[in-house]
Amino acid sequence: MYYYIKTFGCQMNENDSGLISTLLKSNGYLPCATPDAADIIIVNTCCVRQSAENRALGFIGSLKSLKEARPELIIAVCGCMSQQSDTAEILQKKYRQVGIITGTFATALLPQYIEDYATTGQRIIDIEARYDHKEIGNICPEPNEQQAYRAQVNINFGCNNFCSYCIVPYVRGRERSRDPQEIINQISCLAACGVKEVQLLGQNVNSYGKDMPEAGWDFARLLEQINQITGIERIRYMTSHPRDFNRRLAETIAALPKVCRHFHLPVQSGCDRLLTLMNRGYTTKAYLDKLAMIRQLTPDAAVTSDIIVGFPGETEEDFQQTLGFIQQARFDAVYTFIYSQRSGTKAAEMPHQISAEIKNLRLQQLMAVQNPISLARNEELVGTVQEIMVDGISKNNTVMMSGRTSGNKIVVFPKSEGLKAGDLVKISITAAGTWNLSGAISENIDS
Ligand code: SAH
Ligand code: SF4
Ligand code: F3S
């Protein structure tokens, strides 16, 4: 039997798809490259913005004809979108081709549901919220076939922050940390399989351990332990909530050589009035103070952020404050999002929703201010030597290779025969663009 998984959304979902894949393989199923060739199609969905939901629904809709042509085909929909009861109901009623509907708490149960459905043909729906720590158990997912040197590992699940615009706490449940020993064992096992870079995942990694205070663990201590694992050369993590980012963590990171010099600290808005309405729990001043602390402790760090435009009630003046803020912060890159109304969240009920036209205009204006800053930040690296981890042959140009700096910037350089994905190499940076850098292998081995 062949399976095909289509994944929408963030690293959480990618990681969940990896887990489903590992479980299916251990049950004897084989992956295949297209939905047409599959006996089982799994759609792992995201609902963070309407556009993500539309893409998933479009894909599920397109499977109708496949199911009609091959009635024995099994179609399962899982992930964040189906965790919402109203969406699960729509899927049930309007998408008859879907045989299995599971939410984010039932990821590890999906392979069993597939077996059950294959024998009974009875529709299965499981969107119950469970807090039994069985999300991933002790399974050590195989390293990704395309990227055997890099792996993602969940350290905590869920979110307690309830930012007023965000659906994630409703579909991923309350915050819970994984057992530290289980995390360390999993990373050691991945390192033994050749993984060199580990990406620690959580909606808010900074609150790791808060739900198990008696154990005395926090994110800084976890990083210290992971830094000691032989074979692991780089440690990344996402996402950090600015409110919970503190000096102890910044100092720990500065002292740990394997932890990458990249801080992704989503600010969401540069206007204090909106930050309060968003329920973010910090002011622009508090944020800028933390930014200054990071730059003082790790001067070579890259800092990136997320910003939402068109939050309900955002006035022109509020928006101008955000533009002023990003000029002051000088981020290396900003991921910009148009506010999307998510039913069930507080912001969805707020007055003065902003028109699509203004939202689009503000997005363009924001990028017009940020792009030259990103370019200038990248230009500051021209003439330096950066250690990069090789990702492989460049996607756009087969005579080039690409890799990433510790600050997570993409560097393109002429292909070198001896190099393979996962190798660390020193590159002299010769040119910068808004989105990437280019260079050549550094001759100076001392640098
Ligand atoms: N837990 C992470 C990220 C969650 S979602 C964090 O707090 O940083 C990733 C990004 O999507 C968020 O940082 C936010 O900028 C954006 N986002 C979340 N909900 C959104 C919405 N309703 N509309 C537009 N963007 C949204
Ligand atoms: Fe959403 Fe806020 Fe939680 Fe991030 S911290 S997942 S933005 S509620
Ligand atoms: Fe989307 Fe769920 Fe991630 S809503 S952004 S896939 S946590």
Side-chain angles (χ1 to χ4, degrees):
M1 296 271 270
Y2 286 90
Y3 68 90
Y4 175 84
I5 308 184
K6 175 84 177 171
T7 308
F8 296 91
C10 69
Q11 281 91 344
M12 295 284 165
N13 267 15
E14 277 172 30
N15 207 39
D16 285 351
S17 291
L19 172 69
I20 295 167
S21 186
T22 303
L23 291 169
L24 287 175
K25 279 186 204 159
S26 68
N27 286 0
Y29 298 92
L30 296 167
C32 65
T34 59
D36 305 355
D39 304 295
I40 304 157
I41 300 174
I42 296 158
V43 191
N44 196 356
T45 60
C46 169
C47 57
V48 76
R49 284 172 286 277
Q50 189 61 44
S51 52
E53 290 207 276
N54 293 348
R55 281 200 303 276
L57 287 174
F59 181 76
I60 299 164
S62 77
L63 300 176
K64 193 173 174 200
S65 51
L66 275 186
K67 176 76 177 172
E68 278 165 3
R70 287 192 286 129
E72 69 286 2
L73 178 69
I74 299 175
I75 301 174
V77 177
C78 63
C80 295
M81 202 174 101
S82 43
Q83 183 63 46
Q84 306 168 103
S85 48
D86 48 349
T87 315
E89 210 172 305
I90 294 171
L91 285 169
Q92 255 187 83
K93 292 204 177 119
K94 299 209 175 133
Y95 294 79
R96 301 298 311 168
Q97 67 270 35
V98 179
I100 305 169
I101 301 168
T102 55
T104 59
F105 294 86
T107 308
L109 300 172
L110 190 52
Q112 182 58 47
Y113 289 150
I114 290 171
E115 302 263 324
D116 296 347
Y117 181 83
T119 34
T120 66
Q122 297 289 314
R123 224 177 192 192
I124 297 170
I125 297 153
D126 179 356
I127 58 165
E128 192 191 324
R130 285 188 190 83
Y131 290 93
D132 53 6
H133 281 261
K134 293 225 176 90
E135 280 96 347
I136 64 169
N138 273 313
I139 303 146
C140 179
E142 297 163 6
N144 183 323
E145 277 148 34
Q146 287 91 42
Q147 287 197 330
Y149 58 99
R150 174 180 292 151
Q152 301 178 326
V153 172
N154 280 106
I155 64 163
N156 52 5
F157 298 96
C159 182
N160 288 352
N161 289 313
F162 289 94
C163 302
S164 63
Y165 50 82
C166 186
I167 196 73
V168 171
Y170 301 90
V171 294
R172 286 271 170 187
R174 297 293 58 73
E175 206 168 83
R176 54 235 186 252
S177 301
R178 270 181 84 194
D179 175 62
Q181 205 50 54
E182 193 180 297
I183 298 170
I184 291 161
N185 290 348
Q186 186 183 349
I187 298 173
S188 305
C189 156
L190 288 164
C193 297
V195 165
K196 294 182 174 164
E197 179 180 297
V198 65
Q199 298 183 331
L200 310 175
L201 300 182
Q203 294 299 347
N204 179 12
V205 292
N206 298 159
S207 56
Y208 178 78
K210 278 193 183 156
D211 53 329
M212 39 183 205
E214 68 291 349
W217 281 85
D218 66 2
F219 184 53
R221 182 169 168 208
L222 188 66
L223 285 177
E224 280 166 349
Q225 294 299 309
I226 297 170
N227 195 71
Q228 288 176 21
I229 298 176
T230 312
I232 295 297
E233 315 226 31
R234 280 185 168 184
I235 303 166
R236 296 190 187 279
Y237 51 88
M238 69 186 316
T239 302
S240 279
H241 194 300
R243 185 198 55 218
D244 301 324
F245 191 88
N246 57 27
R247 179 163 283 274
R248 166 168 156 76
L249 182 56
E251 282 174 352
T252 305
I253 291 170
L256 295 175
K258 294 182 184 176
V259 181
C260 287
R261 282 2 187 185
H262 175 216
F263 296 82
H264 182 62
L265 272 183
V267 68
Q268 311 298 0
S269 169
C271 160
D272 286 325
R273 194 180 78 79
L274 289 191
L275 284 176
T276 305
L277 287 175
M278 288 176 165
N279 192 30
R280 289 292 287 177
Y282 53 84
T283 60
T284 49
K285 159 120 185 20
Y287 186 99
L288 289 172
D289 287 349
K290 290 184 185 184
L291 191 59
M293 173 179 75
I294 289 171
R295 288 188 170 142
Q296 189 229 331
L297 290 168
T298 39
D300 55 345
V303 184
T304 57
S305 201
D306 290 353
I307 289 187
I308 298 176
V309 296
F311 183 83
E314 182 184 62
T315 63
E316 188 54 35
E317 199 195 320
D318 296 336
F319 178 63
Q320 290 300 327
Q321 281 184 23
T322 293
L323 293 184
F325 179 87
I326 62 168
Q327 277 164 319
Q328 212 180 335
R330 288 180 51 79
F331 293 119
D332 290 83
V334 173
Y335 301 92
T336 50
F337 302 102
I338 285 183
Y339 169 74
S340 173
Q341 203 170 358
R342 306 285 70 210
S343 87
T345 63
K346 269 205 169 144
E349 307 304 322
M350 288 180 186
H352 311 300
Q353 299 283 330
I354 308 292
S355 73
E357 202 184 344
I358 292 181
K359 286 197 260 196
N360 280 315
L361 187 68
R362 288 186 181 162
L363 185 77
Q364 299 308 321
Q365 289 175 324
L366 186 68
M367 292 196 292
V369 173
Q370 178 57 37
N371 289 351
I373 300 173
S374 299
L375 177 62
R377 294 281 296 160
N378 286 346
E379 279 171 343
E380 285 166 23
L381 297 180
V382 174
T384 66
V385 173
Q386 299 286 322
E387 184 174 63
I388 70 144
M389 187 173 277
V390 178
D391 282 325
I393 303 297
S394 165
K395 280 193 200 106
N396 307 324
N397 187 345
T398 54
V399 298
M400 306 294 276
M401 293 185 107
S402 78
R404 280 172 194 267
T405 65
S406 177
N408 209 30
K409 297 191 178 190
I410 296 171
V411 182
V412 180
F413 58 98
K415 189 159 92 182
S416 166
E417 284 311 323
L419 279 182
K420 59 179 188 320
D423 286 348
L424 285 169
V425 61
K426 295 241 160 78
I427 300 283
S428 299
I429 305 300
T430 51
T434 307
W435 315 113
N436 61 19
L437 302 164
S438 41
I441 294 177
S442 172
E443 301 300 329
N444 181 359
I445 45 169
D446 294 332
S447 52

